[in-house]
Amino acid sequence: MQPPGIEAGIHVFFALLSLLSASALLALLHTGSTNVKMIRALALGTAILVWLAWLASVYVYTVEYPVDKALIVKYPQTALAHKFGMEVKEHIFYTGLLLSTLLPIFAYTDLEKSRKLLLWATLFVILGGIVEEILGGWVSISAKIAWTLKAGGG
Amino acid sequence: MRAAVSSIIGYIAAAMFNSILLVIKETNKSVFDWLKATFGHHWLGHGILTIAVFVLVTLLAWYAIRRYEPTDRDIGRLAILVVVFTALSVIIIAGFYAIEVMGH
């Protein structure tokens, strides 16, 4: 069992792409764009990318992360990163996953009517994504610190 | 708008289920162990069940609101509901772990 490597990178890659896609969608909606084709493509793309981010994280979180987790929780300097950071991250993600699923549903129904719904849902997908990135970064740095402490550093 | 409205109802139910299941599994070892034994990992089971709630409630709502056509005012209210329940879900989850951490 290895600590997370390229697999974690793939998860983050999909997450980052979903944030870019959602940001572009928000910009179109906020500026009152009538490019329905592009709005629908970005809404669908965002949802697919968030789902891919989840699928890519399953192996990382359930198989690889426990190696890092064991060390992170061992040291008081890093324990909070898992006990609060990762625990919150892994569970609020499911709310975000379903919120992103709403985007193409809104976009492919009556867009004129559901524009406000789409805008607010997109905004919260972005905010949630930023929170996920912050928490993920915290856990990642904490893992490095924990390994350094194990190696006798600090 | 039928799909949009029914999926919002499904989303609200799933967001609340996600938060409540978290509190239950973290305070009830038998639920945590059941998720782990059934799905291989508690977090995976948590996700699968949350998605199942979303699909199920959305389908039920789809059949229940056959003749409902929301007004612009209704859509504004639905947008508020999405925001409120998203925030509530996050507050319950983050709040639970904040209390857990402060308690130790």
Side-chain angles (χ1 to χ4, degrees):
Chain A
M1 203 191 295
Q2 292 293 313
I6 190 70
E7 300 85 357
I10 293 166
H11 160 64
V12 174
F13 173 73
F14 284 133
L16 186 61
L17 284 182
S18 74
L19 266 176
L20 291 172
S21 175
S23 301
L25 176 60
L26 185 70
L28 285 181
L29 293 166
H30 183 66
T31 54
S33 171
T34 53
N35 191 341
V36 175
K37 211 173 176 180
M38 183 59 81
I39 288 169
R40 284 178 173 169
L42 286 168
L44 184 62
T46 301
I48 289 169
L49 288 163
V50 174
W51 275 84
L52 286 172
W54 177 53
L55 294 172
S57 74
V58 171
Y59 181 76
V60 177
Y61 187 70
T62 61
V63 179
E64 293 183 332
Y65 176 67
V67 181
D68 280 340
K69 178 192 162 183
L71 272 185
I72 292 169
V73 297
K74 190 178 169 184
Y75 299 104
Q77 300 95 319
T78 56
L80 196 64
H82 175 79
K83 289 179 178 175
F84 182 79
M86 183 54 102
E87 293 284 20
V88 170
K89 175 178 157 67
E90 75 183 62
H91 290 101
I92 66 169
F93 181 81
Y94 286 132
T95 298
L97 178 72
L98 295 176
L99 187 62
S100 73
T101 306
L102 295 181
L103 303 183
I105 297 169
F106 293 161
Y108 280 89
T109 54
D110 186 347
L111 190 56
E112 258 333 286
K113 269 195 151 186
S114 62
R115 200 178 185 91
K116 191 187 277 185
L117 286 168
L118 187 56
L119 190 138
W120 281 101
T122 304
L123 180 64
F124 271 74
V125 165
I126 294 167
L127 290 174
I130 292 167
V131 170
E132 291 282 306
E133 293 288 343
I134 291 166
L135 295 174
W138 182 21
V139 172
S140 180
I141 294 292
S142 296
K144 287 177 188 172
I145 294 167
W147 282 101
T148 305
L149 290 167
K150 186 181 187 277
Chain B
M1 286 303 289
R2 191 175 163 195
V5 175
S6 54
S7 65
I8 287 170
I9 295 165
Y11 169 73
I12 289 167
M16 287 300 95
F17 175 83
N18 180 29
S19 313
I20 293 159
L21 179 61
L22 162 85
V23 176
I24 292 168
K25 80 171 182 186
E26 293 287 7
T27 54
N28 189 323
K29 199 180 177 299
S30 61
V31 174
F32 188 94
D33 290 344
W34 177 81
L35 284 168
K36 201 173 172 180
T38 309
F39 299 96
H41 195 286
H42 72 92
W43 176 73
L44 202 54
H46 193 126
I48 290 165
L49 290 178
T50 303
I51 293 160
V53 167
F54 172 70
V55 173
L56 199 70
V57 176
T58 299
L59 287 173
L60 287 171
W62 170 264
Y63 286 108
I65 57 166
R66 231 166 302 182
R67 289 189 187 88
Y68 173 65
E69 195 53 50
T71 62
D72 286 348
R73 199 174 173 185
D74 289 343
I75 290 163
R77 283 174 179 163
L78 286 167
I80 291 166
L81 282 177
V82 168
V83 169
V84 166
F85 280 96
T86 301
L88 188 61
S89 173
V90 172
I91 289 164
I92 292 169
I93 292 165
F96 174 82
Y97 284 115
I99 292 163
E100 280 281 292
V101 164
M102 285 189 286
H104 289 101

